[in-house]
Each structure stands twice: as structure tokens, then as C-alpha cells.
């Protein structure tokens, strides 16, 4: 008889292990640990909703309280995934409503959610607390009304960046007077105006409200009224930040802000009128997070704000900040961990602002803790990238978007291979990388050799041949997600690395040189992969094997071929010609 | 051998380095885009002769047409929309037209406040429009030393002296302008 701890003790020990990877590892130790672990697992994360089925999840983990699901591939954000692709929430909520009556939290990303689904959530789970819908779509404000009306203990309703059919603002008025549990509300993606008095009363009766992100329709003149009722706020997203310039309104607002002693994060700032910016100055010194990426204010105004935020850890801005603003940032914000600079006019070839690679170099020099970068710009050089890499070996996320595809080093006109090579060589902990600019197979050689901790790689308009893809697939040991568009990568690299694909979550390739025949062969060799060809031309059955596919999405799965594919998606394992 | 690249060659190299392609990458090196739009173009001059100028060379000489590539640059659609809205607001050219009257003038004029960035510019514009002299503003004395004084009606319906408040605040509250004769303007401000 094996000497072991009683189950209860092991369960108690496991309760301290919260990371998904750790829990997965625990379950692999031995059969009894697997059993104990699966009964006490409370949080499940499914990075690809088609990798597993609701039934499999429920069978293995019967006592779950929190489910997180992700649907569409990342490139769906940029309209590369056709409508009707999938990622439906309804089948999941149907089964969960029967199996998990005590479910408390649902977090979804890039999934299609319907009003029926939301209504089911609101009625099936008596203790439902948290709903986060990130970049989701398919539902309307009617679904939100059901959630508001029926979830008695709702703590969090976060609709970040979802596309909601906005029928009216009336949904907010469905929160009953008895609902006082709200801690977080993010309605920033909605356009309709909600009843201000309903909003005001909701806020007033929610003493634990920490996060409030308003939508654009909430007028600035009324913001101070709301702030007065919620001085305990930690994160605030303003509505439209413009109004007639009136000193009394401004001083009221400033006073209301100054009362919010816990405020650490600000966002919103649509339609900014600079006259009202001083109202936030009193909270700047406490801010750790600032999102000005909708604020179309010029460099002096942006700079004036950021230089007053010495504790800033995360900043999102438009390129209006310019190199001068970024330089000032590098001198003032020594605690900065994350910087995102978005383009104000992405479709214009000529620079409308004076933002170049120099701004990023300055930040890399001055901000010692900088770990995560998302930077849109119009020019880059190998020397700048090398400088950045040497300055900041602690980078873990580096996403550079040079607006013009295949833009070379603007100083030498060479490819940017060496610059990105320096990034992967110096930043040994790099987990996420997005490439842009003119790149040959050489950069992939560097990446394959050096980027051993890389988990996610995004490639566009790069490379010369299959060798590039082969370097990545054969070299990047930690790779989980690979997304590629418009690159000359094809069959050879794919078929030479078939087993690699089962160690990854997913591979996306669009407008590359992969042939239909190669997709079929891949599917034959790897039965536990779903090899899905997306092709809207409608004649897949009659096309020769040598013809290129438009889009390819490959992912590992234990659930077999999808049952909900639209007509323009084919699973190569189900190919009629293959059956012959 | 002549090492120096002609400017045409450099242009050629640059063009290929940055061009967008619609064909599958690696398929061929000739620029494939723009062919349809340029095929209708006449040859630039009969003097050039068919041997020296092909269709493809012509396409390189003309400014590259930008085809918008789907999903590039990778900016989420809600971000694009926000900025589009902002652009159209300023593009509609609705301007900020206010009526301007001058005492004694037979008719009123209209002026776009958005055309000016400061009081100085506005004064210059008014002086040109009405062929008058307005004089210099001072906080203590208003517009001393001139026959005309600029005033405006604000959102509350009050008649105010132009120049007291910051420019931004002025243009957001100004409903109409009136250039008063200074003898009438006594009673506003502290002018003697």
C-alpha cells in the first residue's frame, strides 16, 4: 500500500497552485493526483475552443467555477477571418448550464455570443458573478439587459472592445435596486446613451465599484457628478472628453478628480478638448496606467500629462506624442513597463507627425523596466533596433509595425534582418514578437537559433522561401502560436515539420504558397490536427492539388473535426478525394 | 565599368523594395499591380519610340498607386473608426461662422473663427474686412487709442469685450461679433 497524504491534504495543497500550466503538470504526476486534481480544479482555460469539446471539459472537470474560452484566431482582429467562421458560445453555455449550476465566471475572447446565450447565462447560474466579453460579437443590448436584470450577485461586466448591436441604452436600467455588488463595469464599446440617472444611482449603490469605464456618450459635464459618488474608484474610463470651455465646469471636474485618492488608471478621452486636461493633473502622480490612444491631442499636451506621471507603468498613446514626447517620457517615467504607440493616420504614406524610430530608442534607453512594446512607425533602421535590443534585454514582448510592407532600413536600404536578429539575441526572455519591414530568410535563421522562449510570432510580407518557415518551425522550442500572411512559405517547410504542429496551439497562414495537396498530406500524417482550409472561391472540390489555398488554419485538437464549419471551410481529413 | 547608379536605377530598386504586390509573393519580379489602370495610358511621346519604353517601365516612372491591402496595417476597426470620425468632423469644413456687425455699416458680414489662431490674427482679419482700425488691447484699458472696439455676445447673451479670456475659451463661447464705436463702448471695461 502506497504511503501518501490523505486526499483532503493534497486537495488543500493543490488549492495554492493556481497557474493553469502548473495544475496541468500536477495532473501528470500520477493517476491519483490526476483524479484529485480534476475534482478540485475550479478554473479552466481553453485557448482554442475547438481544441476540446464542452463534453470533454465537463467530463474531466466536474466542479468548475470559472471558464475562459478563446475562439477566432488573432488575425480576425484585422478582418482576415471571414464572417461566419465560427467560435460559437452557445454550445458551451448549453452544456455548462446543465453541468455547472454553480458557475461563477465566464471569460470569452473573440467568440460569437448570442442574446440567447446571454439570457441562458443570466438564468442558469444562480451565483453568477463575472462576465468578460473581449472582442466578441453577435449579441445586442437585449442580452445585456438580461444579465443586468437576472444576475443578483453580479460583480463584473466587462465588454471590452466587443461589437454589440446597440439597440438602446435602456439595458442599464435593468439593474435592480437590490443590486449592490458591482465592482467593475466596462461599457466603453457601446455607443448608445444610457439613462444618466440610472447610471448615477447604480454607481451610488455600488460601494465596491473599483473599475468604471464609461462610453463616449456620457457627457463630460456630468462626469464630476459620477466621480462624487465613486471616490473609491481605482480605474476610470471617461466618456467624451469635450465640452464648451467653462472654467466652473473645469474646476468642478478637477475637484472631483482630486477626491479620487485611489485612482490609478485612466482611459477614455475621446474627442479631447485641451482646455479640460488640467482637470486630471492632480491624479497624475498616482497613475500607473494611462490610455490616451483615442485622444487626438498634440504633442505638447500629451507630453505635459505624461511628464507628470512618475509612477506610470503602462501607457497607450497615438503617434501625436512624437519623438519629443517619447523623449520626455523616457526622462520622467522610470517605472514604465509597457508602451503602445498607435498610428493616427495609418493609411497615409507620408508621415503626418514627427514620430520615428528615435522615439522608441529614447524610451528603451531611459525606461529601465520596459518589457512590452507595441510600436507603429514609418521608418526603422538596423542600428536603432540593435540599440534598442542592447538597451533592453529584459523585453518580453516586441511588436513593431512599420506601416509600409517590406520597408527596408531607411538609412542603408538593407533588410532589417540584423536588427531583429539583435532583438532575439539580446532579449533572451522574449515571448512575443511581431515582425515588419523588409526581411529575408536570414531573420528567420536568427529567430530559430536564438528565440528559444518565443511563444507567439507574427509574420507579414517577409522571407524569401520555405527555408524561412523551416527555421522557425525547427528552431523555436517554445512556439505555441504562429501567424503568417503574405509570405512565400509553402509546402516543403510545412511537411518537413509536421510533428511540430502538434506541440503548438495553432498555425495560421494566409496568402502564402501552400498547396491544397500539401494540406491533404499534412492532415493524413497528423490525425490529431484539424487542417482547415478557408477558401471563399467555392470550388475546392474541383481544384487541382497544386493550386494554392487562400487561408490555412491548423490546430491540435482532441475533439475531432468541427461540426459547425461554414461552406467555405474544409477539414482536409474529410476531403472526399482523400477518401478514395 | 561605371559604378555609379543612375537615378532611374535607384528608383527602380527602391520601388521594388517597397511596392505592394497582389500576386503571390515569389511568383515573379515584375510589378503586377497597376497594370490595369495604366494599360489605357497613351505612350508618353511618339519620340520615345517603342524600343525604349515598355509598359512596365512606364509603370515604374509614374507615382506608385497605393492599393489598400486587407488587414494592413494591423489596426483594429474600432480604432480606425474613431479617427475617421475625428477627420470628417474637421473635413466637413463646417467652420465656425459668426455674424459680424459694425456700427454704421449697411450690412453684416460673416467670419469663420476657425481661420484664426489668435486674437492678433482675428483683429487683422476684422480690420481688413471693415477697413477700420481697432488698436491694441490692454487688460487695464481695453482698446484705448482707437475709434473702434471689438465686442462679442457670449453663450449667456452678454456683450463682452474681446480679448479678456484665453483664445480657446473665446471661440467656444462667441456667438456673434460687434465692432462698436468707442464713444458707445464706454461703460464696457475700464476704458476712459
Amino acid at each position: 500500500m502506497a504511503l501518501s497524504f490523505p486526499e483532503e491534504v493534497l486537495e488543500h495543497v493543490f488549492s495554492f497552485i493556481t497557474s493553469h500550466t502548473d495544475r496541468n503538470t500536477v495532473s501528470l504526476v500520477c493517476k491519483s493526483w490526476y483524479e484529485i486534481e480534476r475534482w478540485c480544479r475550479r478554473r479552466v482555460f481553453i485557448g482554442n475552443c475547438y481544441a476540446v469539446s464542452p463534453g470533454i471539459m465537463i467530463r474531466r472537470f466536474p466542479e468548475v467555477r470559472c471558464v475562459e474560452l478563446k475562439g477566432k484566431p488573432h488575425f480576425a482582429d484585422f478582418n482576415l477571418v471571414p464572417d461566419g467562421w465560427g467560435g460559437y458560445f452557445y454550445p458551451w453555455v448549453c452544456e455548462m448550464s446543465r453541468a455547472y449550476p454553480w458557475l461563477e465566471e465566464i471569460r470569452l475572447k473573440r467568440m460569437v455570443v448570442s442574446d440567447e446565450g446571454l439570457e441562458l447565462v443570466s438564468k442558469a447560474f444562480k451565483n453568477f458573478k463575472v462576465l468578460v466579453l473581449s472582442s466578441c460579437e453577435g449579441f445586442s443590448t437585449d442580452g445585456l439587459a438580461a444579465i443586468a436584470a437576472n444576475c443578483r450577485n453580479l460583480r463584473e461586466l466587462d465588454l471590452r472592445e466587443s461589437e454589440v448591436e446597440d439597440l438602446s441604452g435602456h439595458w442599464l436600467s435593468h439593474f435592480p435596486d437590490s443590486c449592490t455588488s458591482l465592482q467593475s463595469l466596462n461599457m466603453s464599446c457601446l455607443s448608445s446613451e444610457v439613462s444618466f440617472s440610472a447610471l448615477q444611482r447604480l454607481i451610488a449603490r455600488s460601494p465596491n465599484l473599483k473599475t468604471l469605464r464609461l462610453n463616449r456618450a456620457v457627457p463630460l459635464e456630468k462626469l464630476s457628478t459620477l466621480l462624487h459618488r465613486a471616490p473609491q474608484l481605482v480605474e476610470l474610463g471617461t466618456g467624451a472628453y469635450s465640452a464648451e470651455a467653462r472654467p466652473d465646469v473645469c474646476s468642478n471636474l478637477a475637484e472631483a478628480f482630486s477626491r479620487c485618492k485611489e485612482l490609478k488608471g485612466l482611459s477614455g478621452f475621446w474627442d479631447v478638448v485641451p482646455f479640460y486636461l488640467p482637470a486630471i493633473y492632480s491624479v497624475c502622480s498616482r497613475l500607473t496606467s494611462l490610455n490616451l490612444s483615442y485622444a487626438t491631442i498634440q504633442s505638447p499636451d500629451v507630453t505635459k500629462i505624461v511628464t507628470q506621471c512618475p509612477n506610470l507603468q503602462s501607457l497607450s498613446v497615438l503617434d501625436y506624442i512624437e519623438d519629443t514626447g517619447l523623449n520626455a517620457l523616457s526622462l520622467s517615467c522610470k517605472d514604465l513597463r509597457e508602451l503602445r504607440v498607435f498610428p493616427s493616420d495609418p493609411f497615409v504614406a507620408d508621415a503626418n507627425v514627427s514620430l520615428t524610430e528615435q522615439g522608441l530608442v529614447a524610451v528603451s534607453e531611459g525606461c529601465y523596466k520596459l518589457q512590452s512594446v507595441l510600436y507603429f512607425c514609418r521608418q526603422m533602421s538596423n542600428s536603432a533596433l540593435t540599440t534598442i535590443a542592447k538597451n533592453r534585454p529584459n523585453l518580453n514582448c516586441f511588436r513593431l509595425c512599420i506601416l509600409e510592407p517590406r520597408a527596408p532600413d531607411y538609412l542603408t536600404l538593407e533588410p532589417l534582418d540584423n536588427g531583429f536578429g539583435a532583438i532575439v539575441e539580446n532579449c533572451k526572455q522574449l515571448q512575443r514578437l511581431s515582425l515588419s519591414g523588409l526581411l529575408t530568410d536570414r531573420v528567420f535563421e536568427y529567430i530559430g537559433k536564438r528565440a528559444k522562449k518565443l511563444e507567439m510570432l507574427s509574420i507579414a510580407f517577409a522571407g524569401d522561401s520555405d527555408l524561412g518557415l523551416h527555421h522557425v518551425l525547427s528552431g523555436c522550442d517554445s512556439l505555441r502560436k504562429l501567424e503568417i500572411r503574405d509570405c512565400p512559405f509553402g509546402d516543403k517547410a510545412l511537411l518537413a515539420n509536421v510533428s511540430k504542429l502538434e506541440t503548438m496551439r495553432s498555425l495560421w497562414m494566409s496568402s502564402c504558397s501552400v498547396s491544397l495537396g500539401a494540406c491533404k498530406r499534412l492532415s493524413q500524417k497528423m490525425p490529431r490536427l484539424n487542417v482547415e482550409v478557408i477558401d471563399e472561391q467555392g470550388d475546392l472540390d474541383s481544384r487541382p492539388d497544386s493550386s494554392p489555398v487562400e487561408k490555412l488554419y491548423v490546430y491540435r485538437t482532441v475533439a475531432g473535426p468541427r461540426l459547425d464549419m461554414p461552406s467555405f471551410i474544409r477539414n482536409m481529413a474529410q476531403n472526399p478525394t482523400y477518401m478514395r | 565599368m561605371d559604378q555609379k547608379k543612375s537615378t532611374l536605377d535607384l528608383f527602380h530598386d527602391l520601388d521594388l523594395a517597397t511596392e505592394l504586390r497582389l500576386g503571390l509573393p515569389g511568383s515573379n519580379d515584375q510589378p503586377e499591380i497597376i497594370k490595369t489602370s495604366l494599360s489605357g495610358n497613351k505612350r508618353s511621346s511618339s519620340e520615345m519610340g517603342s524600343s525604349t519604353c515598355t509598359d512596365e517601365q512606364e509603370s515604374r516612372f509614374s507615382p506608385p498607386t497605393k492599393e489598400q491591402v486587407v488587414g494592413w496595417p494591423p489596426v483594429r476597426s474600432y480604432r480606425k473608426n474613431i479617427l475617421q470620425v475625428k477627420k470628417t468632423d474637421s473635413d466637413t469644413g463646417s467652420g465656425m461662422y459668426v455674424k459680424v456687425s459694425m456700427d454704421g455699416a449697411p450690412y453684416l458680414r460673416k467670419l469663420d473663427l476657425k481661420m484664426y489662431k489668435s486674437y492678433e490674427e482675428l483683429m487683422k482679419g476684422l480690420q481688413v474686412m471693415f477697413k477700420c482700425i481697432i488698436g491694441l488691447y490692454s487688460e487695464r484699458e481695453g482698446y484705448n487709442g482707437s475709434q473702434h472696439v471689438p465686442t462679442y455676445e457670449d453663450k449667456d447673451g452678454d456683450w463682452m469685450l474681446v480679448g479678456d479670456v484665453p483664445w480657446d475659451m473665446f471661440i467656444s463661447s462667441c456667438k456673434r461679433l460687434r465692432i462698436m464705436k468707442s464713444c458707445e463702448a464706454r461703460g464696457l471695461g475700464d476704458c476712459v
Side-chain angles (χ1 to χ4, degrees):
Chain A
M1 177 156 139
L3 287 167
S4 60
F5 288 121
E7 253 179 55
E8 296 81 11
V9 175
L10 277 173
E11 241 186 69
H12 183 68
V13 171
F14 291 171
S15 69
F16 294 100
I17 300 170
T18 47
S19 116
H20 299 291
T21 14
D22 288 345
R23 290 211 68 126
N24 291 344
T25 312
V26 159
S27 68
L28 292 174
V29 168
C30 63
K31 280 191 182 149
S32 62
W33 278 39
Y34 176 92
E35 277 302 307
I36 297 166
E37 195 282 320
R38 78 181 188 90
W39 279 97
C40 66
R41 174 100 61 136
R42 297 283 175 264
R43 320 185 73 93
V44 174
F45 168 76
I46 294 169
N48 173 5
C49 65
Y50 290 117
V52 78
S53 70
I56 293 172
M57 173 186 73
I58 290 166
R59 212 163 50 229
R60 179 172 172 189
F61 301 117
E63 301 276 324
V64 160
R65 297 273 186 275
C66 314
V67 172
E68 186 174 345
L69 293 171
K70 292 189 180 182
K72 297 186 202 177
H74 173 237
F75 273 176
D77 285 355
F78 315 123
N79 302 325
L80 288 177
V81 176
D83 279 340
W85 177 88
Y88 303 107
F89 174 56
Y90 198 70
W92 289 86
V93 72
C94 264
E95 297 205 39
M96 293 195 300
S97 66
R98 288 188 285 268
Y100 296 151
W102 298 111
L103 192 69
E104 292 177 6
E105 302 182 10
I106 292 174
R107 292 179 170 79
L108 305 176
K109 188 165 185 179
R110 288 192 207 98
M111 291 199 72
V112 177
V113 179
S114 61
D115 286 344
E116 291 75 25
L118 291 179
E119 219 182 293
L120 190 51
V121 168
S122 77
K123 300 214 166 115
F125 308 119
K126 300 298 175 206
N127 201 22
F128 194 71
K129 295 193 173 129
V130 172
L131 183 64
V132 178
L133 301 175
S134 175
S135 305
C136 294
E137 53 166 5
F139 60 103
S140 77
T141 42
D142 283 352
L144 297 179
I147 296 285
N150 303 323
C151 300
R152 308 256 172 92
N153 295 316
L154 196 67
R155 222 170 56 199
E156 201 174 317
L157 178 60
D158 185 339
L159 305 172
R160 56 178 84 155
E161 292 146 26
S162 289
E163 247 180 68
V164 185
E165 195 191 337
D166 208 325
L167 301 169
S168 83
H170 198 58
W171 66 275
L172 189 99
S173 309
H174 284 258
F175 279 108
D177 290 341
S178 54
C179 176
T180 58
S181 48
L182 212 55
Q183 291 182 19
S184 170
L185 176 63
N186 180 353
M187 47 182 243
S188 54
C189 62
L190 299 176
S191 42
S192 290
E193 195 173 344
V194 298
S195 150
F196 187 76
S197 59
L199 178 61
Q200 199 179 337
R201 280 180 285 117
L202 176 63
I203 290 169
R205 65 175 183 275
S206 306
N208 295 314
L209 192 69
K210 297 275 187 298
T211 299
L212 177 64
R213 302 211 195 269
L214 303 168
N215 64 346
R216 202 171 182 171
V218 175
L220 186 60
E221 298 96 344
K222 299 197 173 154
L223 185 57
S224 47
T225 315
L226 297 178
L227 289 178
H228 276 293
R229 278 159 184 68
Q232 77 283 2
L233 278 179
V234 176
E235 290 178 327
L236 171 74
T238 71
Y241 206 75
S242 75
E244 241 179 74
R246 290 178 49 182
D248 55 325
V249 173
C250 192
S251 57
N252 281 345
L253 189 56
E255 202 258 337
F257 268 117
S258 65
R259 283 184 180 209
C260 298
K261 305 288 185 204
E262 311 294 320
L263 203 57
K264 290 219 167 49
L266 277 182
S267 62
F269 296 107
W270 289 280
D271 317 314
V272 176
V273 159
F275 176 78
Y276 282 99
L277 287 174
I280 64 167
Y281 289 169
S282 66
V283 300
C284 282
S285 60
R286 289 189 285 274
L287 288 183
T288 56
S289 156
L290 183 56
N291 185 348
L292 293 172
S293 63
Y294 301 111
T296 50
I297 48 176
Q298 303 304 311
S299 185
D301 290 316
V302 184
T303 308
K304 186 118 194 256
I305 299 172
V306 300
T307 45
Q308 292 184 66
C309 304
N311 291 310
L312 207 56
Q313 294 179 16
S314 169
L315 175 66
S316 294
V317 270
L318 286 171
D319 55 9
Y320 289 132
I321 192 173
E322 299 192 333
D323 289 342
T324 45
L326 289 174
N327 195 43
L329 178 72
S330 73
L331 297 170
S332 316
C333 303
K334 295 304 189 186
D335 210 17
L336 196 71
R337 322 276 166 101
E338 179 185 38
L339 174 68
R340 297 180 173 214
V341 180
F342 293 97
S344 51
D345 218 343
F347 302 109
V348 158
D350 295 325
N352 56 325
V353 289
S354 180
L355 178 114
T356 68
E357 80 284 6
Q358 289 312 313
L360 186 56
V361 171
V363 177
S364 76
E365 239 161 63
C367 299
Y368 317 119
K369 298 196 190 161
L370 189 69
Q371 289 177 318
S372 174
V373 170
L374 170 62
Y375 200 75
F376 284 82
C377 61
R378 286 185 166 81
Q379 66 186 44
M380 186 49 67
S381 66
N382 283 308
S383 64
L385 282 171
T386 308
T387 307
I388 291 164
K390 296 211 162 114
N391 285 341
R392 291 278 64 78
N394 49 327
L395 284 174
N396 62 28
C397 170
F398 189 72
R399 297 160 70 189
L400 179 69
C401 180
I402 306 165
L403 292 176
E404 179 70 36
R406 303 196 188 91
D409 177 324
Y410 78 100
L411 294 170
T412 64
L413 298 183
E414 283 171 359
L416 290 170
D417 300 337
N418 291 340
F420 279 106
I423 294 277
V424 293
E425 172 160 19
N426 289 277
C427 307
K428 302 208 184 337
Q429 300 306 313
L430 197 68
Q431 288 179 312
R432 186 168 180 185
L433 178 63
S434 298
L435 304 170
S436 58
L438 182 65
L439 298 164
T440 72
D441 284 345
R442 173 135 290 175
V443 74
F444 300 110
E445 194 186 331
Y446 297 148
I447 291 172
K449 272 209 186 95
R450 313 231 170 97
K452 294 306 182 186
K453 296 280 166 75
L454 194 65
E455 297 183 10
M456 182 169 179
L457 179 61
S458 308
I459 311 172
F461 305 103
D464 307 312
S465 73
D466 272 31
L467 201 50
L469 179 56
H470 176 69
H471 284 311
V472 170
L473 290 177
S474 57
C476 296
D477 299 333
S478 311
L479 199 61
R480 291 187 300 116
K481 291 180 275 180
L482 181 57
E483 48 184 22
I484 305 172
R485 63 162 299 175
D486 293 274
C487 296
F489 300 150
D491 302 345
K492 282 200 238 93
L494 217 49
L495 294 173
N497 292 281
V498 293
S499 6
K500 173 69 174 177
L501 298 177
E502 210 177 279
T503 69
M504 293 165 51
R505 182 189 293 175
S506 65
L507 165 69
W508 168 279
M509 290 179 76
S510 56
S511 306
C512 295
S513 314
V514 180
S515 73
L516 191 56
C519 296
K520 293 178 191 170
R521 285 205 302 288
L522 172 60
S523 179
Q524 256 177 289
K525 289 187 176 196
M526 303 293 293
R528 282 184 306 197
L529 292 179
N530 273 350
V531 179
E532 293 176 2
V533 167
I534 299 168
D535 208 299
E536 291 176 281
Q537 285 173 63
D539 58 346
L540 265 178
D541 291 333
S542 53
R543 287 223 242 125
D545 278 359
S546 56
S547 64
V549 300
E550 278 176 12
K551 298 171 186 179
L552 172 67
Y553 188 48
V554 181
Y555 56 91
R556 65 182 176 190
T557 180
V558 292
R562 281 172 59 181
L563 301 171
D564 61 358
M565 286 184 293
S567 59
F568 54 82
I569 304 185
R570 286 289 166 76
N571 185 316
M572 291 292 96
Q574 298 173 317
N575 193 316
T577 54
Y578 160 64
M579 304 285 217
R580 271 196 246 121
Chain B
M1 180 134 88
D2 188 16
Q3 297 283 348
K4 208 169 68 172
K5 277 192 169 182
S6 73
T7 27
L8 252 37
D9 285 342
L10 277 174
F11 182 89
H12 166 71
D13 289 342
L14 276 174
D15 199 33
L16 283 181
T18 58
E19 69 170 353
L20 295 176
R21 294 155 151 250
L22 280 185
L24 286 175
S27 46
N28 77 59
D29 286 332
Q30 300 301 331
E32 283 186 45
I33 43 168
I34 342 171
K35 274 227 167 113
T36 44
S37 59
L38 284 182
S39 57
N41 285 1
K42 296 188 191 134
R43 289 207 179 273
S44 41
S45 148
S46 54
E47 292 158 36
M48 290 193 84
S50 51
S51 54
T52 50
C53 198
T54 62
D55 268 328
E56 276 145 20
Q57 280 183 314
E58 269 191 23
S59 75
R60 276 184 228 129
F61 294 172
S62 53
T65 311
K66 280 265 180 285
E67 296 262 350
Q68 247 189 41
V69 181
V70 173
W72 191 268
V75 174
R76 306 266 321 256
S77 49
Y78 62 80
R79 281 197 185 280
K80 289 186 227 164
N81 294 338
I82 304 268
L83 294 169
Q84 292 303 336
V85 170
K86 176 75 187 176
K87 275 185 82 168
T88 39
D89 274 353
S90 51
D91 278 352
T92 48
S94 51
M96 215 187 244
Y97 282 92
V98 294
K99 287 183 190 171
V100 191
S101 60
M102 176 149 110
D103 293 355
Y107 47 76
L108 279 63
R109 302 294 303 270
K110 262 216 160 145
L111 202 134
D112 182 2
L113 288 178
K114 278 209 171 128
M115 298 299 295
Y116 306 101
K117 294 202 177 54
S118 67
Y119 283 122
E120 204 175 61
E121 286 182 21
L122 175 64
M123 293 309 136
K124 281 205 190 110
L126 287 173
Q127 288 174 120
V128 163
M129 197 181 248
F130 290 98
K131 313 228 179 332
C132 63
I133 296 175
I134 289 179
L136 291 169
Y137 168 82
S138 79
E139 208 178 302
R140 271 188 59 224
E141 314 217 342
Y143 290 85
N144 214 5
S146 58
Q147 290 205 329
H148 295 100
V149 175
T151 63
Y152 71 101
E153 184 184 6
D154 74 359
K155 290 238 153 77
D156 298 326
D158 297 321
W159 284 96
M160 318 286 292
L161 189 70
V162 171
D164 286 332
V165 299
W167 176 253
D168 279 334
M169 200 191 295
F170 164 70
I171 56 170
S172 68
S173 50
C174 172
K175 291 244 82 72
R176 55 187 296 169
L177 285 161
R178 178 184 164 198
I179 302 177
M180 288 174 118
K181 289 225 164 66
S182 38
C183 48
E184 281 199 48
R186 270 173 227 136
L188 279 178
D190 289 329
C191 47
V192 177

